[in-house]
Amino acid sequence: MQIRNFLLLVASYVFYAQLHIWFVLLLVYTTLVNYGCGRWISYARQKHKNAKIPVTAGIVLSLAILVVFKYAYIVDTSIILPVGLSFFTFQALSYSIDIYRGKIVEEKNLLNVALFIAFFPTLLSGPIERARNLIPQLKQPTVITSEIVFSGIGLFIWGLFKKVVIADRLAEFVNAVYAAPAGQTGSTLALAALFYSFQIYCDFSGYADMAIGSGKIMGFDIMKNFNFPYFANTMKEFWRRWHISLTSWFTEYVYFSMGGNRVKQARWILNISTVFLLSGIWHGATWGFVLWGLIHAVLYLIEHFCKIKHPNLLNQVLVFIMVTFAWIFFRIEDSATAWNVICTICTDIISPINWGSSTFSTLLTIVLLVLFIVREYLMYKQKLPQKHILEYMLLVFGICLFGVSSDQFVYFQF
């Protein structure tokens, strides 16, 4: 196991160094800080001393690097923003905080902690794993069967299909429209907003599927990060299905720490709003991301006080529409431009659509998107045969025939 873990750690560091050799130093720094603080917390507990000091030190020292790079990039855009910094920082923090809360014991083997933080499938864009899930797997022999490998390959193929056939094709239209939104009709902007909703979902969930599939092939069980979020009936349900690892991280380490729902109503509103605001800031310290977080907070609170719970098709459509409008602030970081786009959509929705440089390509993208939605729905309703080799062959054929290339994933910038 130690040889396996050592080889995986070397592979993970080499993998990360391909992006920029100096990024590895941040990974080493974050690992040593949280490993050291974990040992410090355990030592303080054994000596019956205050463990708040070491856990606070771990949180401050870890977040300091994240804050410095996030804000330095805003001040000077020539600064290279380390890929995956937000992801592996939060993953590392879960280790220190869980030791402090008594959910896990310290891991004395630095190799296991380093691999947990740098594990290459989750390193760049998550899922944000918990130490209590992944470290025990690193300490046990992996059991790999043909069924597990086949399942992992199938999940990887599906993720790749979502990325290169759906997300990257949608991105071509979205990027062209949002490059000059002021000159677009309302219907064109509406189509771009619709496309972006599926682009970011297929891009991010596609990466997650490939990460989980890669881990599964090696015998590791990585947590699920998406669970058909666009079929949610409420905003609350949407956030239980979208970016599950980040939502659960904020819920566990921020929301519950502030008292959760075991407080007075005014304080609960503050707790919920804080979580959504931090979620927006986690993505980037610009007004666009802040407004995106606040919009979701307002929608969540309105839904809560209106007691909207009953599942139906209308609720699903409304939730999707609200999420789609919120994504506009996410995609267009300049809030004034984003607001103008929304106003144009609402006032000029019945207008000719600009199909882009190639009408055929855009219509083909729509057809592929519809086929994707149908497959997602069948999977959601569990009416699709599982692990069928013919289906995987069709997906590979679709990738070869309709896939387009892109240099990165959307969430690499976070």
Side-chain angles (χ1 to χ4, degrees):
M1 289 180 295
Q2 292 301 301
I3 296 176
R4 178 204 64 189
N5 289 354
F6 175 76
L7 292 175
L8 284 174
L9 181 62
V10 170
S12 297
Y13 273 68
V14 171
F15 172 71
Y16 197 53
Q18 300 303 308
L19 302 171
H20 200 295
I21 187 65
W22 297 112
F23 288 175
V24 175
L25 295 179
L26 295 175
L27 196 55
V28 172
Y29 167 84
T30 303
T31 299
L32 293 178
V33 164
N34 285 276
Y35 175 77
C37 288
R39 298 296 299 270
W40 188 6
I41 293 167
S42 295
Y43 176 80
R45 287 273 169 78
Q46 292 171 6
K47 298 298 183 180
H48 303 287
K49 295 182 179 180
N50 190 352
K52 288 185 177 180
I53 296 177
V55 73
T56 302
I59 293 172
V60 172
L61 290 174
S62 296
L63 292 180
I65 294 296
L66 180 61
V67 171
V68 165
F69 273 95
K70 287 281 188 180
Y71 280 93
Y73 178 77
I74 294 171
V75 175
D76 183 1
T77 54
S78 65
I79 295 175
I80 300 175
L81 185 63
V83 177
L85 179 61
S86 299
F87 289 91
F88 68 72
T89 298
F90 273 32
Q91 184 152 314
L93 280 173
S94 74
Y95 170 76
S96 299
I97 297 173
D98 279 358
I99 293 176
Y100 172 74
R101 292 182 172 181
K103 293 186 175 182
I104 60 172
V105 296
E106 64 167 320
E107 175 55 50
K108 296 181 179 180
N109 190 327
L110 176 59
L111 174 61
N112 291 340
V113 177
L115 180 55
F116 158 69
I117 295 173
F119 192 46
F120 71 87
T122 65
L123 180 58
L124 301 183
S125 288
I128 304 171
E129 264 295 355
R130 306 297 189 270
R132 57 182 180 267
N133 177 45
L134 190 53
I135 288 182
Q137 296 183 61
L138 300 177
K139 298 167 68 174
Q140 299 293 330
T142 51
V143 178
I144 303 177
T145 65
S146 58
E147 183 180 359
I148 290 175
V149 172
F150 185 71
S151 176
I153 292 174
L155 193 56
F156 186 94
I157 292 172
W158 176 231
L160 183 61
F161 180 90
K162 287 196 285 186
K163 166 60 178 172
V164 302
V165 177
I166 306 300
D168 288 347
R169 293 189 69 91
L170 293 172
E172 292 180 343
F173 183 85
V174 172
N175 293 341
V177 172
Y178 284 152
Q184 304 294 340
T185 63
S187 57
T188 304
L189 292 172
L191 184 61
L194 174 68
F195 275 12
Y196 185 69
S197 279
F198 285 103
Q199 178 202 340
I200 193 170
Y201 169 59
C202 291
D203 189 284
F204 194 15
S205 67
Y207 178 93
D209 287 345
M210 285 188 277
I212 297 169
S214 299
K216 189 179 289 290
I217 292 170
M218 294 183 288
F220 298 104
D221 183 22
I222 299 173
M223 71 180 296
K224 192 173 185 178
N225 211 21
F226 291 89
N227 186 24
F228 309 105
Y230 288 156
F231 293 118
N233 291 278
T234 62
M235 293 302 298
K236 183 177 183 179
E237 184 184 353
F238 172 81
W239 279 105
R240 286 177 176 173
R241 294 173 175 272
W242 176 274
H243 203 347
I244 298 169
S245 62
L246 180 65
T247 302
S248 60
W249 198 98
F250 275 118
T251 301
E252 182 174 357
Y253 299 114
V254 177
Y255 179 68
F256 288 157
S257 297
M258 297 179 68
N261 58 2
R262 303 182 305 278
V263 294
K264 293 182 179 180
Q265 183 170 283
R267 177 57 187 270
W268 176 80
I269 293 174
L270 175 63
N271 293 350
I272 286 292
S273 301
T274 300
V275 167
F276 279 110
L277 179 61
L278 289 176
S279 179
I281 294 175
W282 179 87
H283 288 88
T286 64
W287 282 113
F289 292 121
V290 171
L291 288 173
W292 174 79
L294 290 176
I295 288 170
H296 276 278
V298 171
L299 293 173
Y300 189 100
L301 292 170
I302 290 174
E303 179 182 275
H304 173 79
F305 289 111
C306 291
K307 302 186 183 302
I308 302 174
K309 296 180 180 180
H310 302 293
N312 57 64
L313 180 60
L314 179 60
N315 281 356
Q316 289 181 341
V317 173
L318 289 175
V319 168
F320 177 75
I321 291 174
M322 290 186 292
V323 169
T324 296
F325 272 107
W327 281 133
I328 295 174
F329 287 94
F330 192 95
R331 175 59 175 78
I332 306 175
E333 296 181 14
D334 179 62
S335 55
T337 303
W339 179 248
N340 288 335
V341 167
I342 292 175
C343 291
T344 303
I345 291 174
C346 295
T347 58
D348 189 39
I349 189 65
I350 304 177
S351 56
I353 296 177
N354 176 10
W355 295 103
S357 58
S358 173
T359 302
F360 173 79
S361 178
T362 303
L363 293 177
L364 176 60
T365 299
I366 293 174
V367 171
L368 292 170
L369 178 60
V370 171
L371 292 175
F372 163 76
I373 295 173
V374 170
R375 188 183 190 273
E376 280 275 291
Y377 179 78
L378 293 175
M379 292 172 64
Y380 173 67
K381 291 296 185 179
Q382 298 181 342
K383 294 182 179 180
L384 195 68
Q386 298 295 313
K387 304 174 185 177
H388 199 288
I389 189 169
L390 178 60
E391 181 189 10
Y392 294 159
M393 291 175 64
L394 288 173
L395 290 175
V396 171
F397 178 75
I399 291 169
C400 296
L401 191 61
F402 301 112
V404 297
S405 61
S406 176
D407 59 346
Q408 67 174 12
F409 289 80
V410 172
Y411 263 70
F412 276 11
Q413 63 184 297
F414 306 128

CSV table of all heavy atoms in Angstrom, one decimal, residues 288-311:
chain,number,residue,atom,x,y,z
A,288,GLY,N,-20.1,40.2,-9.5
A,288,GLY,CA,-21.0,39.2,-10.3
A,288,GLY,C,-21.2,38.0,-9.4
A,288,GLY,O,-22.3,37.5,-9.3
A,289,PHE,N,-20.1,37.5,-8.8
A,289,PHE,CA,-20.3,36.3,-8.0
A,289,PHE,C,-21.0,36.5,-6.7
A,289,PHE,O,-21.8,35.7,-6.2
A,289,PHE,CB,-18.9,35.7,-7.7
A,289,PHE,CG,-18.2,35.1,-8.9
A,289,PHE,CD1,-17.0,35.6,-9.3
A,289,PHE,CD2,-18.8,34.1,-9.7
A,289,PHE,CE1,-16.3,35.1,-10.4
A,289,PHE,CE2,-18.1,33.6,-10.8
A,289,PHE,CZ,-16.9,34.1,-11.2
A,290,VAL,N,-20.8,37.7,-6.1
A,290,VAL,CA,-21.5,38.1,-4.9
A,290,VAL,C,-23.0,38.2,-5.2
A,290,VAL,O,-23.8,37.7,-4.4
A,290,VAL,CB,-20.9,39.5,-4.4
A,290,VAL,CG1,-21.8,40.0,-3.2
A,290,VAL,CG2,-19.5,39.3,-3.9
A,291,LEU,N,-23.3,38.8,-6.3
A,291,LEU,CA,-24.8,39.0,-6.6
A,291,LEU,C,-25.4,37.6,-6.9
A,291,LEU,O,-26.5,37.3,-6.5
A,291,LEU,CB,-24.9,39.9,-7.8
A,291,LEU,CG,-24.7,41.4,-7.5
A,291,LEU,CD1,-24.7,42.2,-8.8
A,291,LEU,CD2,-25.8,41.9,-6.6
A,292,TRP,N,-24.6,36.7,-7.6
A,292,TRP,CA,-25.1,35.4,-7.8
A,292,TRP,C,-25.4,34.7,-6.5
A,292,TRP,O,-26.5,34.0,-6.4
A,292,TRP,CB,-24.0,34.6,-8.6
A,292,TRP,CG,-24.3,33.2,-8.8
A,292,TRP,CD1,-25.2,32.6,-9.7
A,292,TRP,CD2,-23.8,32.1,-8.1
A,292,TRP,NE1,-25.2,31.2,-9.6
A,292,TRP,CE2,-24.4,30.9,-8.6
A,292,TRP,CE3,-22.9,32.0,-7.0
A,292,TRP,CZ2,-24.0,29.6,-8.1
A,292,TRP,CZ3,-22.5,30.7,-6.5
A,292,TRP,CH2,-23.1,29.5,-7.1
A,293,GLY,N,-24.5,34.8,-5.5
A,293,GLY,CA,-24.8,34.2,-4.2
A,293,GLY,C,-26.0,34.8,-3.5
A,293,GLY,O,-26.8,34.0,-3.0
A,294,LEU,N,-26.1,36.1,-3.6
A,294,LEU,CA,-27.2,36.8,-2.9
A,294,LEU,C,-28.5,36.4,-3.6
A,294,LEU,O,-29.6,36.3,-2.9
A,294,LEU,CB,-27.0,38.3,-2.9
A,294,LEU,CG,-25.8,38.8,-2.0
A,294,LEU,CD1,-25.6,40.3,-2.1
A,294,LEU,CD2,-26.1,38.4,-0.5
A,295,ILE,N,-28.5,36.3,-4.9
A,295,ILE,CA,-29.8,36.0,-5.6
A,295,ILE,C,-30.3,34.6,-5.1
A,295,ILE,O,-31.5,34.4,-4.9
A,295,ILE,CB,-29.5,36.0,-7.1
A,295,ILE,CG1,-29.4,37.4,-7.7
A,295,ILE,CG2,-30.7,35.3,-7.9
A,295,ILE,CD1,-28.9,37.5,-9.1
A,296,HIS,N,-29.4,33.7,-5.0
A,296,HIS,CA,-29.8,32.3,-4.5
A,296,HIS,C,-30.2,32.4,-3.1
A,296,HIS,O,-31.2,31.6,-2.7
A,296,HIS,CB,-28.6,31.3,-4.7
A,296,HIS,CG,-28.5,30.7,-6.1
A,296,HIS,ND1,-29.3,29.7,-6.5
A,296,HIS,CD2,-27.8,31.1,-7.2
A,296,HIS,CE1,-29.0,29.4,-7.7
A,296,HIS,NE2,-28.1,30.2,-8.2
A,297,ALA,N,-29.6,33.2,-2.3
A,297,ALA,CA,-30.1,33.4,-0.9
A,297,ALA,C,-31.5,33.9,-0.8
A,297,ALA,O,-32.3,33.4,-0.1
A,297,ALA,CB,-29.1,34.3,-0.1
A,298,VAL,N,-31.8,34.9,-1.6
A,298,VAL,CA,-33.1,35.5,-1.7
A,298,VAL,C,-34.1,34.5,-2.1
A,298,VAL,O,-35.2,34.4,-1.6
A,298,VAL,CB,-33.1,36.8,-2.5
A,298,VAL,CG1,-34.5,37.3,-2.8
A,298,VAL,CG2,-32.3,37.9,-1.9
A,299,LEU,N,-33.8,33.8,-3.2
A,299,LEU,CA,-34.7,32.8,-3.8
A,299,LEU,C,-35.0,31.7,-2.8
A,299,LEU,O,-36.1,31.2,-2.6
A,299,LEU,CB,-34.2,32.2,-5.1
A,299,LEU,CG,-34.1,33.2,-6.3
A,299,LEU,CD1,-33.4,32.5,-7.4
A,299,LEU,CD2,-35.5,33.6,-6.7
A,300,TYR,N,-34.0,31.3,-2.1
A,300,TYR,CA,-34.1,30.2,-1.1
A,300,TYR,C,-35.0,30.7,0.1
A,300,TYR,O,-35.9,29.9,0.5
A,300,TYR,CB,-32.7,29.9,-0.5
A,300,TYR,CG,-32.6,28.7,0.4
A,300,TYR,CD1,-32.2,27.4,-0.1
A,300,TYR,CD2,-32.9,28.7,1.7
A,300,TYR,CE1,-32.1,26.3,0.7
A,300,TYR,CE2,-32.9,27.6,2.6
A,300,TYR,CZ,-32.5,26.4,2.0
A,300,TYR,OH,-32.4,25.3,2.9
A,301,LEU,N,-34.8,31.9,0.5
A,301,LEU,CA,-35.6,32.4,1.7
A,301,LEU,C,-37.1,32.6,1.2
A,301,LEU,O,-38.0,32.3,2.0
A,301,LEU,CB,-35.0,33.7,2.2
A,301,LEU,CG,-33.6,33.6,2.9
A,301,LEU,CD1,-33.0,34.9,3.1
A,301,LEU,CD2,-33.8,32.8,4.2
A,302,ILE,N,-37.3,33.2,0.0
A,302,ILE,CA,-38.6,33.4,-0.4
A,302,ILE,C,-39.4,32.0,-0.5
A,302,ILE,O,-40.5,31.9,-0.1
A,302,ILE,CB,-38.6,34.0,-1.8
A,302,ILE,CG1,-38.2,35.5,-1.7
A,302,ILE,CG2,-40.0,34.0,-2.5
A,302,ILE,CD1,-38.0,36.2,-3.1
A,303,GLU,N,-38.7,31.0,-1.0
A,303,GLU,CA,-39.3,29.7,-1.2
A,303,GLU,C,-39.6,29.1,0.2
A,303,GLU,O,-40.7,28.5,0.4
A,303,GLU,CB,-38.3,28.8,-1.9
A,303,GLU,CG,-38.7,27.4,-2.0
A,303,GLU,CD,-37.7,26.6,-2.7
A,303,GLU,OE1,-37.6,26.6,-4.0
A,303,GLU,OE2,-36.8,25.9,-2.0
A,304,HIS,N,-38.7,29.4,1.2
A,304,HIS,CA,-38.9,28.8,2.5
A,304,HIS,C,-40.1,29.5,3.2
A,304,HIS,O,-41.0,28.7,3.7
A,304,HIS,CB,-37.7,29.1,3.4
A,304,HIS,CG,-37.9,28.8,4.8
A,304,HIS,ND1,-37.8,27.5,5.3
A,304,HIS,CD2,-38.2,29.6,5.9
A,304,HIS,CE1,-38.0,27.5,6.6
A,304,HIS,NE2,-38.2,28.7,7.0
A,305,PHE,N,-40.3,30.8,3.1
A,305,PHE,CA,-41.4,31.4,3.8
A,305,PHE,C,-42.7,31.3,3.0
A,305,PHE,O,-43.8,31.4,3.6
A,305,PHE,CB,-41.0,32.9,4.0
A,305,PHE,CG,-40.0,33.2,5.0
A,305,PHE,CD1,-38.7,33.6,4.7
A,305,PHE,CD2,-40.3,32.9,6.4
A,305,PHE,CE1,-37.8,33.8,5.6
A,305,PHE,CE2,-39.3,33.1,7.3
A,305,PHE,CZ,-38.0,33.5,7.0
A,306,CYS,N,-42.6,31.0,1.7
A,306,CYS,CA,-43.8,30.7,1.0
A,306,CYS,C,-44.2,29.2,1.0
A,306,CYS,O,-45.3,28.8,0.5
A,306,CYS,CB,-43.6,31.1,-0.5
A,306,CYS,SG,-43.5,32.9,-0.8
A,307,LYS,N,-43.4,28.5,1.7
A,307,LYS,CA,-43.6,27.0,1.9
A,307,LYS,C,-43.9,26.3,0.6
A,307,LYS,O,-44.9,25.5,0.5
A,307,LYS,CB,-44.8,26.8,2.9
A,307,LYS,CG,-44.5,27.5,4.3
A,307,LYS,CD,-45.6,27.2,5.3
A,307,LYS,CE,-45.4,27.9,6.6
A,307,LYS,NZ,-44.1,27.6,7.2
A,308,ILE,N,-43.0,26.5,-0.3
A,308,ILE,CA,-43.1,25.8,-1.6
A,308,ILE,C,-42.4,24.5,-1.5
A,308,ILE,O,-41.2,24.4,-1.4
A,308,ILE,CB,-42.5,26.6,-2.8
A,308,ILE,CG1,-43.2,28.0,-2.9
A,308,ILE,CG2,-42.6,25.9,-4.1
A,308,ILE,CD1,-42.6,28.9,-3.9
A,309,LYS,N,-43.2,23.4,-1.5
A,309,LYS,CA,-42.6,22.0,-1.3
A,309,LYS,C,-43.1,21.0,-2.3
A,309,LYS,O,-42.4,20.0,-2.6
A,309,LYS,CB,-42.8,21.6,0.1
A,309,LYS,CG,-42.2,22.4,1.2
A,309,LYS,CD,-42.5,21.9,2.6
A,309,LYS,CE,-41.8,22.8,3.7
A,309,LYS,NZ,-42.1,22.3,5.0
A,310,HIS,N,-44.3,21.1,-2.7
A,310,HIS,CA,-44.9,20.0,-3.5
A,310,HIS,C,-44.3,19.9,-4.9
A,310,HIS,O,-44.2,20.8,-5.6
A,310,HIS,CB,-46.4,20.3,-3.6
A,310,HIS,CG,-47.1,20.4,-2.3
A,310,HIS,ND1,-47.2,19.4,-1.4
A,310,HIS,CD2,-47.7,21.5,-1.7
A,310,HIS,CE1,-47.9,19.8,-0.4
A,310,HIS,NE2,-48.2,21.1,-0.5
A,311,PRO,N,-43.8,18.7,-5.2
A,311,PRO,CA,-43.1,18.5,-6.5
A,311,PRO,C,-44.1,18.5,-7.6
A,311,PRO,O,-45.2,17.8,-7.6
A,311,PRO,CB,-42.5,17.1,-6.3
A,311,PRO,CG,-43.3,16.4,-5.3
A,311,PRO,CD,-43.8,17.5,-4.3
